Amino acid sequence: MGDQKQYIMGEHIEGFKKAFQQAKQLFGMSLTDDRFNIDKDVCQDCLVTLEDLSDDEKSCQDVEADNPRLPFPLSLPPRFIPFFATPRASRAQPHALLILNFTDRLSCKEDELLQWKHSRLVGDCLVKNYANFQEYLCEYVMMGRAPCSDESGLKKGPWTPEEDNILVEYIQRHGHGSWRALPNLAGLNRCGKSCRLRWTNYLRPDIKRGKFSEEEEQLIISLHAVLGNKWSSIAGHLPGRTDNEIKNFWNTHLKKKLMQMGLDPVTHRPRSDHLDLLSILQQLLAATNIVSNFTNTWDINALRLQSDATQLAKLQLLQNILQVLVASPASNMDLLNPFGPSSSLPDGFLTEVLGLDQSKLQNLYNGFPSQNQPIFQSFVEAPPQQQALSTGYHLMNGGSNRSCMNSEKVDKQLDAPYSTPLDSLPDLASASPECSTGKQMENKVNPNEFSDPSSTSTTFEMWGDFMYEDVSDAYWKDLIE
DNA sequence: AACATCACCAACCGCCTCAAG
DNA sequence: ACTTGAGGCGGTTGGTGATGT
């Protein structure tokens, strides 16, 4: 029984604490008077128990006598809790009042309440009506123990137009202030969190409704490549769109779209389970569609990301052509040889697809190791750091000059380009926009150089050069179509 | 017409961060 | 240094309408 009493007393203190805290929020003021430190002095000494209050034989005066530091006189109707915003305020002249009106024993009339309000109040006033003290305690004890979502009696689920109106009107008039206090003040039977979500995701006046435009779609994809699931950050780049909306749009549309393009929606890298040529062609088409629809009104980073994605699609096409050829029992390098008699590819296919002239292609073909060498395997399964395909990676690293470094690396391998395939493979996609551009410029090689037998270029350099070739996206699109 | 499945999205839930005490 | 609570965030759910069988 002793434990139970202690528990009840503890609840009691919590109840008072919560009452004070709620009133603090409602009145929007901080308590600065050390003489009346609610948390330390009042609550700890406020040992009014349920037993005290339910004991009919015990008068309010007795309870007060037992608890000399009660924040308000139990014997007076109504009970009030004074709030002091500055040290100059006093019990007699508080800045605000929380009036607790208990109608069971010490009820007071409305004019009586008003009299109290006018006589004691300097600032603001809140009247809370309770049938009895236990009811008041229950409310605040519940508040103290349960999270917002479990507060009993609060409405959940879809918002009605009436509720929307109330919320909008209140916020337009007063601002949202404390979200937790807002429902009480506005007269909404919702938790503050629910109000905040409703406002930020739906009712805010600057929210843009309707379908996402193509530009917005591309921007989201690009930003997601850099930021990941940081929906609020992404939303920051799309005026009028909420994080929730973008998140939903991603999960229902863009994720699928990326997957159809053969890209992992998490990493934005090629999916390893997506190597059939047909689907790659579709992906490439999708990628080129994206690029062709992409305007240059968005920030340069997004544009660079898109450029990388296109490079990536090209690379995938190449990889798959190569893999198909190598995987086939009948395959040999003749298949790749556009000049050989056994070439099974349509005339001019490779030269068109790869955007290389005949001399480049011949040189490329001649430069490849024999089919028994593991070059293609390595090519296709190059580790991520070698593929360097993650667009996000590039930007997150501030546009590191990986491909520049790689260029040096390749230079060092001139004498033994195929000795260790994994190590010797160059990055095939631009590692950073800046570097890509630089290399592109720097490698704007005279086509004749490729057919020049004395050229020091390796096959890998040529592959690299090919990847940086300035073949227009429209060209790729037309080609695939 | 009835039912099943899918797609969408508003809203909820629980965790995290940060500021205030 | 520690506690507390509000606000923010991202993952997930569940209701609803559309579409397919």
Side-chain angles (χ1 to χ4, degrees):
Chain A
M1 194 60 193
D3 287 347
Q4 192 186 350
K5 183 176 179 181
Q6 190 61 42
Y7 173 74
I8 291 170
M9 287 162 64
E11 298 283 279
H12 228 99
I13 292 170
E14 275 306 302
F16 280 120
K17 265 189 174 177
K18 292 295 167 189
F20 282 119
Q21 282 164 1
Q22 194 197 37
K24 261 168 78 176
Q25 290 164 4
L26 291 174
F27 296 134
M29 63 174 60
S30 59
L31 299 169
T32 56
D33 190 346
D34 289 339
R35 291 170 303 171
F36 197 67
N37 187 318
I38 287 171
D39 282 343
K40 288 180 183 169
D41 298 337
V42 178
C43 290
Q44 284 176 11
D45 293 327
C46 229
L47 302 181
V48 183
T49 67
L50 290 179
E51 288 174 6
D52 291 333
L53 293 165
S54 60
D55 186 354
D56 289 338
E57 293 178 1
K58 211 170 202 173
S59 68
C60 290
Q61 284 82 357
D62 291 336
V63 175
E64 285 176 38
D66 292 343
N67 302 279
R69 301 188 68 179
L70 275 176
F72 52 85
L74 286 170
S75 54
L76 294 173
R79 295 156 180 86
F80 71 93
I81 300 175
F83 282 84
F84 306 96
T86 71
R88 285 203 292 176
S90 66
R91 274 177 190 267
Q93 201 75 19
H95 278 173
L97 288 180
L98 168 61
I99 297 177
L100 306 176
N101 186 35
F102 304 108
T103 55
D104 60 340
R105 289 190 297 175
L106 297 165
S107 64
C108 65
K109 295 170 188 167
E110 195 170 337
D111 56 345
E112 211 174 354
L113 272 176
L114 289 174
Q115 190 187 338
W116 270 86
K117 186 178 168 182
H118 290 310
S119 64
R120 306 295 294 274
L121 185 68
V122 174
D124 213 339
C125 176
L126 174 74
V127 179
K128 301 273 280 182
N129 290 304
Y130 298 96
N132 50 49
F133 197 75
Q134 278 80 0
E135 186 183 291
Y136 150 76
L137 282 180
C138 282
E139 179 180 329
Y140 286 109
V141 167
M142 286 295 284
M143 279 181 64
R145 301 176 86 190
C148 166
S149 55
D150 289 336
E151 284 177 53
S152 59
L154 289 183
K155 196 182 167 199
K156 285 192 196 175
W159 281 62
T160 64
E162 291 76 26
E163 287 177 310
D164 284 346
N165 286 338
I166 293 173
L167 183 58
V168 169
E169 276 183 27
Y170 180 85
I171 292 179
Q172 282 175 349
R173 199 170 295 172
H174 304 99
H176 64 71
S178 162
W179 285 111
R180 198 175 172 85
L182 186 144
N184 270 343
L185 293 170
L188 283 165
N189 190 30
R190 295 270 183 175
C191 75
K193 207 169 182 176
S194 181
C195 293
R196 182 175 58 82
L197 277 174
R198 184 63 181 170
W199 173 258
T200 54
N201 287 338
Y202 199 83
L203 297 175
R204 234 172 47 197
D206 58 331
I207 282 184
K208 189 198 288 182
R209 313 297 307 176
K211 282 193 167 185
F212 282 81
S213 68
E214 194 71 25
E215 289 78 12
E216 285 177 313
E217 192 177 312
Q218 291 318 308
L219 186 58
I220 293 170
I221 293 174
S222 302
L223 288 168
H224 187 273
V226 181
L227 301 167
N229 292 1
K230 303 287 178 194
W231 304 118
S232 60
S233 304
I234 294 173
H237 291 79
L238 287 101
R241 300 293 187 181
T242 69
D243 53 357
N244 205 39
E245 199 179 6
I246 294 170
K247 181 173 59 185
N248 283 333
F249 184 57
W250 176 268
N251 286 329
T252 55
H253 292 97
L254 297 183
K255 213 156 133 183
K256 289 175 198 164
K257 196 166 185 173
L258 281 187
M259 287 173 84
Q260 281 171 0
M261 289 167 63
L263 298 176
D264 184 329
V266 176
T267 62
H268 290 245
R269 294 181 182 208
R271 292 164 63 200
S272 56
D273 61 338
H274 217 265
L275 290 171
D276 69 287
L277 188 55
L278 254 183
S279 61
I280 292 294
L281 290 174
Q282 288 171 348
Q283 298 154 24
L284 185 55
L285 181 58
T288 52
N289 267 328
I290 284 168
V291 171
S292 64
N293 291 329
F294 191 69
T295 67
N296 59 357
T297 55
W298 300 99
D299 77 37
I300 191 66
N301 280 349
L303 189 59
R304 288 169 178 168
L305 284 168
Q306 201 55 61
S307 163
D308 275 358
T310 310
Q311 290 282 15
L312 186 148
K314 291 176 186 176
L315 175 63
Q316 278 200 317
L317 173 62
L318 273 175
Q319 287 180 340
N320 284 277
I321 291 171
L322 294 173
Q323 195 180 52
V324 165
L325 295 176
V326 172
S328 163
S331 75
N332 57 43
M333 286 307 293
D334 283 345
L335 288 172
L336 253 187
N337 182 2
F339 315 103
S342 62
S343 171
S344 60
L345 296 172
D347 282 349
F349 176 81
L350 280 175
T351 52
E352 279 186 24
V353 167
L354 302 182
L356 299 174
D357 60 29
Q358 292 282 322
S359 59
K360 277 187 188 176
L361 210 55
Q362 179 70 65
N363 206 329
L364 188 64
Y365 170 76
N366 290 339
F368 262 102
S370 77
Q371 64 173 359
N372 293 327
Q373 287 181 263
I375 180 65
F376 286 106
Q377 189 68 15
S378 306
F379 185 81
V380 172
E381 296 176 359
Q385 67 269 27
Q386 286 205 333
Q387 292 182 4
L389 296 175
S390 166
T391 50
Y393 172 87
H394 310 318
L395 290 178
M396 290 297 279
N397 288 283
S400 68
N401 58 346
R402 273 180 54 80
S403 65
C404 297
M405 289 163 58
N406 208 66
S407 168
E408 294 165 15
K409 188 169 153 189
V410 171
D411 287 343
K412 289 179 188 167
Q413 293 168 342
L414 288 178
D415 293 338
Y418 311 127
S419 53
T420 52
L422 279 176
D423 287 336
S424 62
L425 282 171
D427 281 346
L428 294 176
S430 157
S432 74
E434 294 82 1
C435 211
S436 162
T437 308
K439 188 170 174 69
Q440 201 170 339
M441 298 297 288
E442 152 190 329
N443 287 319
K444 277 288 176 192
V445 190
N446 180 345
N448 295 333
E449 279 182 42
F450 278 87
S451 54
D452 178 4
S454 65
S455 167
T456 54
S457 291
T458 66
T459 300
F460 294 119
E461 281 176 308
M462 283 186 284
W463 276 100
D465 291 336
F466 158 68
M467 290 310 295
Y468 297 120
E469 274 293 326
D470 205 1
V471 181
S472 79
D473 295 310
Y475 174 79
W476 280 87
K477 184 181 175 182
D478 291 345
L479 191 65
I480 298 304
E481 279 172 344

